[in-house]
Amino acid sequence: MRQGTPWLLSAPAMALFLTLLIAPLALTALLSFNVFDEVRGVQADQYTLRNYLDLFVDPYYWGIFWRTFWIAGLTTLICVAVGAPEAYVLSRMRAPWRTLGLLVVLAPLLVSVVVRAFGWSLLLGPEGPINQALSLFGIGPLRLLYTETAIVIALVHVMLPFMVIPVWTSLQKLDPSVEQAAASLQAGPFTVLRRIVLPQVLPGILSGSLIVFGLAASSFAIPGLLGGRRLKMVATVVYDQYLNELNWPQGAAVALTLLLANLVVMLSYNRLVERRYQKALG
Amino acid sequence: MSFLELREVRKSYAHHPVVHGIDLQVEKGEFVSLLGPSGCGKTTTLQMIAGIEPVTQGRILLDGRDITDTKPHTRGLGIVFQTYALFPHMTVADNVAFGLEMRHRPKAERQDRVRAALALVKLDQQGQRYPRELSGGQRQRVALARALVIEPPVLLLDEPLSNLDAKLREEMQFELRRIQRRVGTTTVMVTHDQSEALSVSDRVVVMQAGRITQVDTPARLYEHPGNRFISTFVGKANLLPGQWVDGERGPGVQIGDLHLAAPDLAAPAGSPVLVALRPEKLRLQPAGQGLLQGRVLECFFLGSQWLYRLQTPVGELLLVTPNDGRPALAVGDDSGLDWPAHSVRLLPADAAEALA
């Protein structure tokens, strides 16, 4: 009984995990090997590797995967560049302002992603406030909506909290006297930031970028609404395969390939950074 | 002129004063402790010297130069923090080398000085390890090496030993003093532990409620505490309220029926005074002899000493006697007490009450 207790206690979570994640994933994996016939639909008893082979030979898919990953990578990079300093500034603010600032950072999470995407499409449209403002300086009108730029801007907006929160958490763990010690050894404020603070919040930046990259690479609503019909990302292709082409096996193959590619990128990134700082940061 | 000087230094937080005008001179090479209970402003004072806390009013001079308004990273003082504040992501050697790197010393010189500093604190074998792989005492010594390697004009220690266990703390006290003697760096240490302050300092500065109340050598501070608070904060003391008399029995203090001779002392006749007697100055005598008779209420064995609480006609007294092989008293035993007349201290009763 003693030995079984941990299993018993985690049983509800395990059941949830198995039925809501593992089972659908296994079914999707199975589906991705099924034969699809244009006339008769999915053949549940016939298996093939064609769905995967198509992904590897068709440049159409290469382009979509490449776009997905560079957009996710760029989004992550911008989130690091904006979110890490933002978390640092927030952690240095005084009591009432700090809470207010944190609330502003978290606010996007309180609004539906669809509403936010529509908001951006209004802002970025040819007649939108941004183009109107630019025209005052004689620039434009710029084509922003339905471009990769629009997708990146909206993704950064949505993902920023996922970067700020882990960095904020690791900043909270810092001993303020460590910075004072560095200052007493004649390190200027910028050196303290670069040599003392940054290396210590690196784990926070690492986990933040993993979350942001994973969510951005598999994002659906924002590329769907701000990328238009022409600019596809992997998640929107999966949607198309399922609901427009009705080619479920192909959609399942794309979805699983995205999952695997995402895993490979995230794990190798994690290992790369962790190996470098493992010894120092434990 | 003294090396480090504080002139009328004040500190207030939002009009709430925490340090009320401190004057202090520290000579070159001196080891000075700021001693006081928590909240007395000693750490704030140290942080003002370090530049971590801005000074509200007053001047701080280092070697004749006014450093009151300079930034902490331009003062070049060595600081050992209570939490040690080591850089967790750097090796011990890199921690120690950091200050030299900031001063752009050449690599070869850096390595030599880091090695020497680590040897000084007996950590020459631990250079490539990370702070979290070290024990508390070792971390403390890394912090000390890191502060000393830059050869600072002044070393500031903020409760450096308070995070160590009792035995290690005692060892480090002497180690600290030995290292400071060898290097000769002017040192200011903040502590709330009187035995720490007494054992390592050249001079002890007692602070109470944001003010300095006594500055003396450890021995003088212990033997001649300036007020009631200091007499009980630094060591233990028996305090007996009485009245100064100078009659046919000579100058002394009248406490109830007891006339306590105090030939070396003086006070206005009839004035209320407070007598302070250190427990270790009291001596046990056979019952019926001595200046006072007492009965043992409690006894505690401290290893090298016995501590007795005795009921006497003038009140309860504490007595400490060395465990020198004589048979110990038991609870309920009667005993005589006496003490050398020169060990009696007088504290002004009024001022003492006001500060206590």
Side-chain angles (χ1 to χ4, degrees), chain A residues 175 177-178 180-181 183-187 191 195-196 199-200 279-280 282, chain B residues 52 73 76-77 79 81 83 85-89 101-103 130 132 146:
Chain A
D175 176 359
S177 60
V178 171
Q180 293 167 357
S184 79
L185 295 166
Q186 300 199 348
T191 311
R195 295 281 310 272
I196 306 301
Q200 290 188 82
K279 220 162 166 215
Chain B
I52 296 166
H73 69 270
L77 307 182
I79 307 175
F81 292 83
T83 55
L86 299 178
F87 309 133
H89 56 292
E101 210 181 309
M102 291 300 116
R103 284 168 170 75
Y130 282 90
R132 66 190 162 77
R146 187 179 66 178

PDB file of all heavy atoms in Angstrom, chain A residues 175 177-178 180-181 183-187 191 195-196 199-200 279-280 282, chain B residues 52 73 76-77 79 81 83 85-89 101-103 130 132 146:
ATOM      1  N   ASP A 175      19.858  37.983  -4.716  1.00  0.00           N
ATOM      2  CA  ASP A 175      20.183  38.674  -3.477  1.00  0.00           C
ATOM      3  C   ASP A 175      20.643  40.086  -3.853  1.00  0.00           C
ATOM      4  O   ASP A 175      21.634  40.231  -4.564  1.00  0.00           O
ATOM      5  CB  ASP A 175      21.305  37.887  -2.782  1.00  0.00           C
ATOM      6  CG  ASP A 175      21.801  38.567  -1.522  1.00  0.00           C
ATOM      7  OD1 ASP A 175      21.283  39.661  -1.205  1.00  0.00           O
ATOM      8  OD2 ASP A 175      22.683  38.013  -0.868  1.00  0.00           O
ATOM      9  N   SER A 177      22.212  42.239  -2.351  1.00  0.00           N
ATOM     10  CA  SER A 177      23.561  42.615  -1.921  1.00  0.00           C
ATOM     11  C   SER A 177      24.627  42.086  -2.887  1.00  0.00           C
ATOM     12  O   SER A 177      25.755  42.572  -2.864  1.00  0.00           O
ATOM     13  CB  SER A 177      23.824  42.142  -0.492  1.00  0.00           C
ATOM     14  OG  SER A 177      23.711  40.758  -0.375  1.00  0.00           O
ATOM     15  N   VAL A 178      24.272  41.116  -3.741  1.00  0.00           N
ATOM     16  CA  VAL A 178      25.249  40.647  -4.735  1.00  0.00           C
ATOM     17  C   VAL A 178      25.586  41.778  -5.707  1.00  0.00           C
ATOM     18  O   VAL A 178      26.742  41.994  -6.055  1.00  0.00           O
ATOM     19  CB  VAL A 178      24.710  39.412  -5.486  1.00  0.00           C
ATOM     20  CG1 VAL A 178      25.615  39.055  -6.658  1.00  0.00           C
ATOM     21  CG2 VAL A 178      24.603  38.225  -4.544  1.00  0.00           C
ATOM     22  N   GLN A 180      25.265  44.959  -4.986  1.00  0.00           N
ATOM     23  CA  GLN A 180      26.007  45.958  -4.217  1.00  0.00           C
ATOM     24  C   GLN A 180      27.461  45.540  -4.080  1.00  0.00           C
ATOM     25  O   GLN A 180      28.371  46.375  -4.130  1.00  0.00           O
ATOM     26  CB  GLN A 180      25.374  46.129  -2.831  1.00  0.00           C
ATOM     27  CG  GLN A 180      23.990  46.748  -2.899  1.00  0.00           C
ATOM     28  CD  GLN A 180      23.250  46.637  -1.588  1.00  0.00           C
ATOM     29  OE1 GLN A 180      23.726  46.046  -0.627  1.00  0.00           O
ATOM     30  NE2 GLN A 180      22.064  47.208  -1.538  1.00  0.00           N
ATOM     31  N   ALA A 181      27.675  44.229  -3.908  1.00  0.00           N
ATOM     32  CA  ALA A 181      29.047  43.727  -3.792  1.00  0.00           C
ATOM     33  C   ALA A 181      29.820  44.019  -5.074  1.00  0.00           C
ATOM     34  O   ALA A 181      30.963  44.472  -5.025  1.00  0.00           O
ATOM     35  CB  ALA A 181      29.039  42.232  -3.502  1.00  0.00           C
ATOM     36  N   ALA A 183      29.207  46.380  -7.196  1.00  0.00           N
ATOM     37  CA  ALA A 183      29.439  47.829  -7.263  1.00  0.00           C
ATOM     38  C   ALA A 183      30.603  48.217  -6.356  1.00  0.00           C
ATOM     39  O   ALA A 183      31.432  49.052  -6.718  1.00  0.00           O
ATOM     40  CB  ALA A 183      28.177  48.585  -6.874  1.00  0.00           C
ATOM     41  N   SER A 184      30.692  47.584  -5.184  1.00  0.00           N
ATOM     42  CA  SER A 184      31.779  47.932  -4.258  1.00  0.00           C
ATOM     43  C   SER A 184      33.131  47.516  -4.830  1.00  0.00           C
ATOM     44  O   SER A 184      34.158  48.035  -4.425  1.00  0.00           O
ATOM     45  CB  SER A 184      31.551  47.276  -2.902  1.00  0.00           C
ATOM     46  OG  SER A 184      31.922  45.916  -2.923  1.00  0.00           O
ATOM     47  N   LEU A 185      33.123  46.564  -5.775  1.00  0.00           N
ATOM     48  CA  LEU A 185      34.377  46.152  -6.416  1.00  0.00           C
ATOM     49  C   LEU A 185      34.633  46.973  -7.676  1.00  0.00           C
ATOM     50  O   LEU A 185      35.360  46.552  -8.573  1.00  0.00           O
ATOM     51  CB  LEU A 185      34.328  44.659  -6.736  1.00  0.00           C
ATOM     52  CG  LEU A 185      34.265  43.760  -5.496  1.00  0.00           C
ATOM     53  CD1 LEU A 185      33.875  42.351  -5.864  1.00  0.00           C
ATOM     54  CD2 LEU A 185      35.594  43.767  -4.763  1.00  0.00           C
ATOM     55  N   GLN A 186      33.955  48.131  -7.742  1.00  0.00           N
ATOM     56  CA  GLN A 186      34.156  49.116  -8.804  1.00  0.00           C
ATOM     57  C   GLN A 186      33.574  48.708 -10.152  1.00  0.00           C
ATOM     58  O   GLN A 186      34.087  49.133 -11.192  1.00  0.00           O
ATOM     59  CB  GLN A 186      35.635  49.465  -8.954  1.00  0.00           C
ATOM     60  CG  GLN A 186      36.190  50.049  -7.670  1.00  0.00           C
ATOM     61  CD  GLN A 186      37.462  50.818  -7.869  1.00  0.00           C
ATOM     62  OE1 GLN A 186      38.072  50.759  -8.916  1.00  0.00           O
ATOM     63  NE2 GLN A 186      37.858  51.557  -6.852  1.00  0.00           N
ATOM     64  N   ALA A 187      32.544  47.878 -10.158  1.00  0.00           N
ATOM     65  CA  ALA A 187      31.854  47.594 -11.406  1.00  0.00           C
ATOM     66  C   ALA A 187      30.790  48.669 -11.602  1.00  0.00           C
ATOM     67  O   ALA A 187      30.003  48.921 -10.702  1.00  0.00           O
ATOM     68  CB  ALA A 187      31.219  46.216 -11.353  1.00  0.00           C
ATOM     69  N   THR A 191      28.126  47.206 -16.195  1.00  0.00           N
ATOM     70  CA  THR A 191      28.902  45.975 -15.981  1.00  0.00           C
ATOM     71  C   THR A 191      28.186  45.057 -15.003  1.00  0.00           C
ATOM     72  O   THR A 191      28.159  43.843 -15.180  1.00  0.00           O
ATOM     73  CB  THR A 191      30.299  46.323 -15.445  1.00  0.00           C
ATOM     74  OG1 THR A 191      30.849  47.334 -16.255  1.00  0.00           O
ATOM     75  CG2 THR A 191      31.200  45.110 -15.450  1.00  0.00           C
ATOM     76  N   ARG A 195      27.488  41.423 -16.233  1.00  0.00           N
ATOM     77  CA  ARG A 195      28.318  40.351 -15.670  1.00  0.00           C
ATOM     78  C   ARG A 195      27.666  39.650 -14.479  1.00  0.00           C
ATOM     79  O   ARG A 195      28.002  38.517 -14.172  1.00  0.00           O
ATOM     80  CB  ARG A 195      29.670  40.930 -15.214  1.00  0.00           C
ATOM     81  CG  ARG A 195      30.529  41.468 -16.331  1.00  0.00           C
ATOM     82  CD  ARG A 195      31.236  40.338 -17.078  1.00  0.00           C
ATOM     83  NE  ARG A 195      31.908  39.415 -16.194  1.00  0.00           N
ATOM     84  CZ  ARG A 195      33.150  39.560 -15.758  1.00  0.00           C
ATOM     85  NH1 ARG A 195      33.863  40.588 -16.158  1.00  0.00           N
ATOM     86  NH2 ARG A 195      33.690  38.681 -14.940  1.00  0.00           N
ATOM     87  N   ILE A 196      26.782  40.348 -13.767  1.00  0.00           N
ATOM     88  CA  ILE A 196      26.251  39.777 -12.527  1.00  0.00           C
ATOM     89  C   ILE A 196      24.775  39.408 -12.664  1.00  0.00           C
ATOM     90  O   ILE A 196      24.379  38.287 -12.370  1.00  0.00           O
ATOM     91  CB  ILE A 196      26.430  40.765 -11.348  1.00  0.00           C
ATOM     92  CG1 ILE A 196      27.888  41.195 -11.236  1.00  0.00           C
ATOM     93  CG2 ILE A 196      25.922  40.170 -10.045  1.00  0.00           C
ATOM     94  CD1 ILE A 196      28.870  40.055 -11.019  1.00  0.00           C
ATOM     95  N   PRO A 199      23.767  36.803 -16.155  1.00  0.00           N
ATOM     96  CA  PRO A 199      24.030  35.356 -16.043  1.00  0.00           C
ATOM     97  C   PRO A 199      23.122  34.665 -15.027  1.00  0.00           C
ATOM     98  O   PRO A 199      22.789  33.499 -15.187  1.00  0.00           O
ATOM     99  CB  PRO A 199      25.487  35.302 -15.573  1.00  0.00           C
ATOM    100  CG  PRO A 199      26.075  36.607 -15.909  1.00  0.00           C
ATOM    101  CD  PRO A 199      24.964  37.608 -15.859  1.00  0.00           C
ATOM    102  N   GLN A 200      22.705  35.405 -14.020  1.00  0.00           N
ATOM    103  CA  GLN A 200      21.878  34.764 -12.998  1.00  0.00           C
ATOM    104  C   GLN A 200      20.419  34.610 -13.413  1.00  0.00           C
ATOM    105  O   GLN A 200      19.716  33.752 -12.882  1.00  0.00           O
ATOM    106  CB  GLN A 200      21.949  35.566 -11.697  1.00  0.00           C
ATOM    107  CG  GLN A 200      23.292  35.465 -11.027  1.00  0.00           C
ATOM    108  CD  GLN A 200      23.278  36.095  -9.662  1.00  0.00           C
ATOM    109  OE1 GLN A 200      22.866  35.515  -8.691  1.00  0.00           O
ATOM    110  NE2 GLN A 200      23.722  37.330  -9.596  1.00  0.00           N
ATOM    111  N   LYS A 279      27.114  24.061 -14.649  1.00  0.00           N
ATOM    112  CA  LYS A 279      27.993  24.011 -13.499  1.00  0.00           C
ATOM    113  C   LYS A 279      27.778  25.209 -12.581  1.00  0.00           C
ATOM    114  O   LYS A 279      27.726  25.089 -11.361  1.00  0.00           O
ATOM    115  CB  LYS A 279      29.447  23.979 -13.963  1.00  0.00           C
ATOM    116  CG  LYS A 279      30.166  23.028 -13.062  1.00  0.00           C
ATOM    117  CD  LYS A 279      31.424  22.486 -13.441  1.00  0.00           C
ATOM    118  CE  LYS A 279      31.981  21.890 -12.155  1.00  0.00           C
ATOM    119  NZ  LYS A 279      33.381  22.011 -12.033  1.00  0.00           N
ATOM    120  N   ALA A 280      27.630  26.361 -13.201  1.00  0.00           N
ATOM    121  CA  ALA A 280      27.521  27.570 -12.398  1.00  0.00           C
ATOM    122  C   ALA A 280      26.145  27.693 -11.761  1.00  0.00           C
ATOM    123  O   ALA A 280      26.022  28.210 -10.656  1.00  0.00           O
ATOM    124  CB  ALA A 280      27.796  28.785 -13.265  1.00  0.00           C
ATOM    125  N   GLY A 282      23.657  25.210 -11.497  1.00  0.00           N
ATOM    126  CA  GLY A 282      23.091  24.024 -10.843  1.00  0.00           C
ATOM    127  C   GLY A 282      21.753  23.649 -11.393  1.00  0.00           C
ATOM    128  O   GLY A 282      20.778  23.644 -10.683  1.00  0.00           O
TER     129      GLY A 282
ATOM    130  N   ILE B  52      26.097  52.723  -0.108  1.00  0.00           N
ATOM    131  CA  ILE B  52      24.879  52.021  -0.526  1.00  0.00           C
ATOM    132  C   ILE B  52      23.656  52.844  -0.142  1.00  0.00           C
ATOM    133  O   ILE B  52      22.682  52.912  -0.879  1.00  0.00           O
ATOM    134  CB  ILE B  52      24.821  50.615   0.116  1.00  0.00           C
ATOM    135  CG1 ILE B  52      25.992  49.766  -0.389  1.00  0.00           C
ATOM    136  CG2 ILE B  52      23.503  49.931  -0.187  1.00  0.00           C
ATOM    137  CD1 ILE B  52      26.220  48.513   0.417  1.00  0.00           C
ATOM    138  N   HIS B  73      30.590  52.612  -6.473  1.00  0.00           N
ATOM    139  CA  HIS B  73      31.602  51.935  -7.290  1.00  0.00           C
ATOM    140  C   HIS B  73      32.824  52.786  -7.541  1.00  0.00           C
ATOM    141  O   HIS B  73      33.759  52.359  -8.209  1.00  0.00           O
ATOM    142  CB  HIS B  73      30.995  51.410  -8.602  1.00  0.00           C
ATOM    143  CG  HIS B  73      30.586  52.476  -9.563  1.00  0.00           C
ATOM    144  ND1 HIS B  73      29.333  53.026  -9.569  1.00  0.00           N
ATOM    145  CD2 HIS B  73      31.264  53.094 -10.552  1.00  0.00           C
ATOM    146  CE1 HIS B  73      29.266  53.933 -10.531  1.00  0.00           C
ATOM    147  NE2 HIS B  73      30.419  53.992 -11.128  1.00  0.00           N
ATOM    148  N   GLY B  76      35.821  52.377  -3.827  1.00  0.00           N
ATOM    149  CA  GLY B  76      36.877  51.380  -3.736  1.00  0.00           C
ATOM    150  C   GLY B  76      37.041  50.758  -2.368  1.00  0.00           C
ATOM    151  O   GLY B  76      38.128  50.320  -2.008  1.00  0.00           O
ATOM    152  N   LEU B  77      35.975  50.721  -1.579  1.00  0.00           N
ATOM    153  CA  LEU B  77      36.059  50.102  -0.257  1.00  0.00           C
ATOM    154  C   LEU B  77      35.766  48.605  -0.381  1.00  0.00           C
ATOM    155  O   LEU B  77      35.026  48.174  -1.240  1.00  0.00           O
ATOM    156  CB  LEU B  77      35.039  50.735   0.691  1.00  0.00           C
ATOM    157  CG  LEU B  77      35.087  52.259   0.785  1.00  0.00           C
ATOM    158  CD1 LEU B  77      34.063  52.759   1.787  1.00  0.00           C
ATOM    159  CD2 LEU B  77      36.474  52.725   1.193  1.00  0.00           C
ATOM    160  N   ILE B  79      33.934  45.402   0.973  1.00  0.00           N
ATOM    161  CA  ILE B  79      32.761  45.151   1.818  1.00  0.00           C
ATOM    162  C   ILE B  79      32.502  43.656   1.904  1.00  0.00           C
ATOM    163  O   ILE B  79      32.516  42.955   0.895  1.00  0.00           O
ATOM    164  CB  ILE B  79      31.506  45.839   1.249  1.00  0.00           C
ATOM    165  CG1 ILE B  79      31.785  47.320   1.004  1.00  0.00           C
ATOM    166  CG2 ILE B  79      30.331  45.679   2.204  1.00  0.00           C
ATOM    167  CD1 ILE B  79      30.654  48.052   0.338  1.00  0.00           C
ATOM    168  N   PHE B  81      29.483  41.284   3.027  1.00  0.00           N
ATOM    169  CA  PHE B  81      28.071  41.387   3.373  1.00  0.00           C
ATOM    170  C   PHE B  81      27.660  40.249   4.293  1.00  0.00           C
ATOM    171  O   PHE B  81      28.274  39.186   4.309  1.00  0.00           O
ATOM    172  CB  PHE B  81      27.216  41.341   2.105  1.00  0.00           C
ATOM    173  CG  PHE B  81      27.384  42.558   1.245  1.00  0.00           C
ATOM    174  CD1 PHE B  81      28.441  42.669   0.362  1.00  0.00           C
ATOM    175  CD2 PHE B  81      26.485  43.598   1.338  1.00  0.00           C
ATOM    176  CE1 PHE B  81      28.605  43.793  -0.420  1.00  0.00           C
ATOM    177  CE2 PHE B  81      26.634  44.729   0.556  1.00  0.00           C
ATOM    178  CZ  PHE B  81      27.703  44.825  -0.321  1.00  0.00           C
ATOM    179  N   THR B  83      25.199  38.283   3.980  1.00  0.00           N
ATOM    180  CA  THR B  83      24.863  37.070   3.206  1.00  0.00           C
ATOM    181  C   THR B  83      26.041  36.636   2.337  1.00  0.00           C
ATOM    182  O   THR B  83      25.890  35.766   1.501  1.00  0.00           O
ATOM    183  CB  THR B  83      23.664  37.355   2.295  1.00  0.00           C
ATOM    184  OG1 THR B  83      23.979  38.485   1.490  1.00  0.00           O
ATOM    185  CG2 THR B  83      22.415  37.644   3.095  1.00  0.00           C
ATOM    186  N   ALA B  85      27.104  37.508  -0.308  1.00  0.00           N
ATOM    187  CA  ALA B  85      26.881  38.099  -1.631  1.00  0.00           C
ATOM    188  C   ALA B  85      27.932  37.674  -2.644  1.00  0.00           C
ATOM    189  O   ALA B  85      28.420  38.480  -3.424  1.00  0.00           O
ATOM    190  CB  ALA B  85      26.816  39.634  -1.532  1.00  0.00           C
ATOM    191  N   LEU B  86      28.296  36.401  -2.634  1.00  0.00           N
ATOM    192  CA  LEU B  86      29.219  35.903  -3.660  1.00  0.00           C
ATOM    193  C   LEU B  86      28.481  35.818  -4.988  1.00  0.00           C
ATOM    194  O   LEU B  86      27.258  35.700  -5.016  1.00  0.00           O
ATOM    195  CB  LEU B  86      29.742  34.519  -3.266  1.00  0.00           C
ATOM    196  CG  LEU B  86      30.511  34.474  -1.956  1.00  0.00           C
ATOM    197  CD1 LEU B  86      30.930  33.045  -1.641  1.00  0.00           C
ATOM    198  CD2 LEU B  86      31.729  35.376  -2.007  1.00  0.00           C
ATOM    199  N   PHE B  87      29.242  35.869  -6.082  1.00  0.00           N
ATOM    200  CA  PHE B  87      28.624  35.727  -7.399  1.00  0.00           C
ATOM    201  C   PHE B  87      28.422  34.239  -7.654  1.00  0.00           C
ATOM    202  O   PHE B  87      29.394  33.512  -7.864  1.00  0.00           O
ATOM    203  CB  PHE B  87      29.506  36.354  -8.479  1.00  0.00           C
ATOM    204  CG  PHE B  87      29.928  37.762  -8.153  1.00  0.00           C
ATOM    205  CD1 PHE B  87      31.243  38.169  -8.299  1.00  0.00           C
ATOM    206  CD2 PHE B  87      29.005  38.679  -7.675  1.00  0.00           C
ATOM    207  CE1 PHE B  87      31.628  39.460  -7.981  1.00  0.00           C
ATOM    208  CE2 PHE B  87      29.382  39.977  -7.358  1.00  0.00           C
ATOM    209  CZ  PHE B  87      30.697  40.372  -7.507  1.00  0.00           C
ATOM    210  N   PRO B  88      27.174  33.762  -7.661  1.00  0.00           N
ATOM    211  CA  PRO B  88      26.949  32.314  -7.695  1.00  0.00           C
ATOM    212  C   PRO B  88      27.373  31.666  -9.003  1.00  0.00           C
ATOM    213  O   PRO B  88      27.623  30.474  -9.035  1.00  0.00           O
ATOM    214  CB  PRO B  88      25.433  32.180  -7.482  1.00  0.00           C
ATOM    215  CG  PRO B  88      24.867  33.491  -7.870  1.00  0.00           C
ATOM    216  CD  PRO B  88      25.917  34.517  -7.594  1.00  0.00           C
ATOM    217  N   HIS B  89      27.458  32.449 -10.068  1.00  0.00           N
ATOM    218  CA  HIS B  89      27.756  31.875 -11.378  1.00  0.00           C
ATOM    219  C   HIS B  89      29.245  31.922 -11.703  1.00  0.00           C
ATOM    220  O   HIS B  89      29.634  31.635 -12.820  1.00  0.00           O
ATOM    221  CB  HIS B  89      26.968  32.619 -12.448  1.00  0.00           C
ATOM    222  CG  HIS B  89      27.223  34.100 -12.442  1.00  0.00           C
ATOM    223  ND1 HIS B  89      26.821  34.915 -11.415  1.00  0.00           N
ATOM    224  CD2 HIS B  89      27.859  34.891 -13.316  1.00  0.00           C
ATOM    225  CE1 HIS B  89      27.190  36.155 -11.676  1.00  0.00           C
ATOM    226  NE2 HIS B  89      27.822  36.165 -12.814  1.00  0.00           N
ATOM    227  N   GLU B 101      39.813  42.647 -12.000  1.00  0.00           N
ATOM    228  CA  GLU B 101      39.434  42.768 -13.398  1.00  0.00           C
ATOM    229  C   GLU B 101      38.819  44.147 -13.650  1.00  0.00           C
ATOM    230  O   GLU B 101      39.092  44.793 -14.650  1.00  0.00           O
ATOM    231  CB  GLU B 101      38.397  41.685 -13.685  1.00  0.00           C
ATOM    232  CG  GLU B 101      38.380  41.168 -15.084  1.00  0.00           C
ATOM    233  CD  GLU B 101      37.285  40.126 -15.233  1.00  0.00           C
ATOM    234  OE1 GLU B 101      37.250  39.183 -14.398  1.00  0.00           O
ATOM    235  OE2 GLU B 101      36.473  40.275 -16.132  1.00  0.00           O
ATOM    236  N   MET B 102      37.964  44.596 -12.709  1.00  0.00           N
ATOM    237  CA  MET B 102      37.318  45.898 -12.845  1.00  0.00           C
ATOM    238  C   MET B 102      38.360  47.020 -12.807  1.00  0.00           C
ATOM    239  O   MET B 102      38.140  48.101 -13.306  1.00  0.00           O
ATOM    240  CB  MET B 102      36.297  46.110 -11.719  1.00  0.00           C
ATOM    241  CG  MET B 102      35.090  45.214 -11.816  1.00  0.00           C
ATOM    242  SD  MET B 102      34.168  45.442 -13.346  1.00  0.00           S
ATOM    243  CE  MET B 102      34.343  43.854 -14.116  1.00  0.00           C
ATOM    244  N   ARG B 103      39.502  46.743 -12.166  1.00  0.00           N
ATOM    245  CA  ARG B 103      40.571  47.739 -12.113  1.00  0.00           C
ATOM    246  C   ARG B 103      41.560  47.555 -13.257  1.00  0.00           C
ATOM    247  O   ARG B 103      42.624  48.172 -13.265  1.00  0.00           O
ATOM    248  CB  ARG B 103      41.308  47.633 -10.775  1.00  0.00           C
ATOM    249  CG  ARG B 103      40.537  48.219  -9.614  1.00  0.00           C
ATOM    250  CD  ARG B 103      41.171  47.816  -8.290  1.00  0.00           C
ATOM    251  NE  ARG B 103      40.600  48.550  -7.171  1.00  0.00           N
ATOM    252  CZ  ARG B 103      39.406  48.319  -6.662  1.00  0.00           C
ATOM    253  NH1 ARG B 103      38.647  47.383  -7.169  1.00  0.00           N
ATOM    254  NH2 ARG B 103      38.963  49.028  -5.636  1.00  0.00           N
ATOM    255  N   TYR B 130      32.644  26.243  -7.149  1.00  0.00           N
ATOM    256  CA  TYR B 130      31.616  27.281  -7.172  1.00  0.00           C
ATOM    257  C   TYR B 130      31.125  27.534  -5.748  1.00  0.00           C
ATOM    258  O   TYR B 130      31.148  26.620  -4.914  1.00  0.00           O
ATOM    259  CB  TYR B 130      30.459  26.857  -8.075  1.00  0.00           C
ATOM    260  CG  TYR B 130      30.794  27.034  -9.526  1.00  0.00           C
ATOM    261  CD1 TYR B 130      31.389  26.011 -10.243  1.00  0.00           C
ATOM    262  CD2 TYR B 130      30.562  28.242 -10.160  1.00  0.00           C
ATOM    263  CE1 TYR B 130      31.733  26.173 -11.575  1.00  0.00           C
ATOM    264  CE2 TYR B 130      30.899  28.416 -11.486  1.00  0.00           C
ATOM    265  CZ  TYR B 130      31.477  27.388 -12.182  1.00  0.00           C
ATOM    266  OH  TYR B 130      31.814  27.573 -13.496  1.00  0.00           O
ATOM    267  N   ARG B 132      28.329  27.565  -4.275  1.00  0.00           N
ATOM    268  CA  ARG B 132      27.354  26.681  -3.634  1.00  0.00           C
ATOM    269  C   ARG B 132      27.949  25.334  -3.258  1.00  0.00           C
ATOM    270  O   ARG B 132      27.313  24.539  -2.579  1.00  0.00           O
ATOM    271  CB  ARG B 132      26.130  26.495  -4.540  1.00  0.00           C
ATOM    272  CG  ARG B 132      26.434  25.761  -5.796  1.00  0.00           C
ATOM    273  CD  ARG B 132      25.288  25.791  -6.776  1.00  0.00           C
ATOM    274  NE  ARG B 132      25.764  25.461  -8.075  1.00  0.00           N
ATOM    275  CZ  ARG B 132      26.044  24.215  -8.478  1.00  0.00           C
ATOM    276  NH1 ARG B 132      25.859  23.227  -7.654  1.00  0.00           N
ATOM    277  NH2 ARG B 132      26.509  24.000  -9.677  1.00  0.00           N
ATOM    278  N   ARG B 146      37.770  38.263  -1.357  1.00  0.00           N
ATOM    279  CA  ARG B 146      37.332  39.107  -2.461  1.00  0.00           C
ATOM    280  C   ARG B 146      37.407  40.584  -2.088  1.00  0.00           C
ATOM    281  O   ARG B 146      37.726  41.434  -2.909  1.00  0.00           O
ATOM    282  CB  ARG B 146      35.887  38.733  -2.845  1.00  0.00           C
ATOM    283  CG  ARG B 146      35.397  39.434  -4.081  1.00  0.00           C
ATOM    284  CD  ARG B 146      34.000  39.018  -4.433  1.00  0.00           C
ATOM    285  NE  ARG B 146      33.034  39.441  -3.421  1.00  0.00           N
ATOM    286  CZ  ARG B 146      31.724  39.235  -3.515  1.00  0.00           C
ATOM    287  NH1 ARG B 146      31.238  38.612  -4.568  1.00  0.00           N
ATOM    288  NH2 ARG B 146      30.912  39.635  -2.565  1.00  0.00           N
TER     289      ARG B 146
END
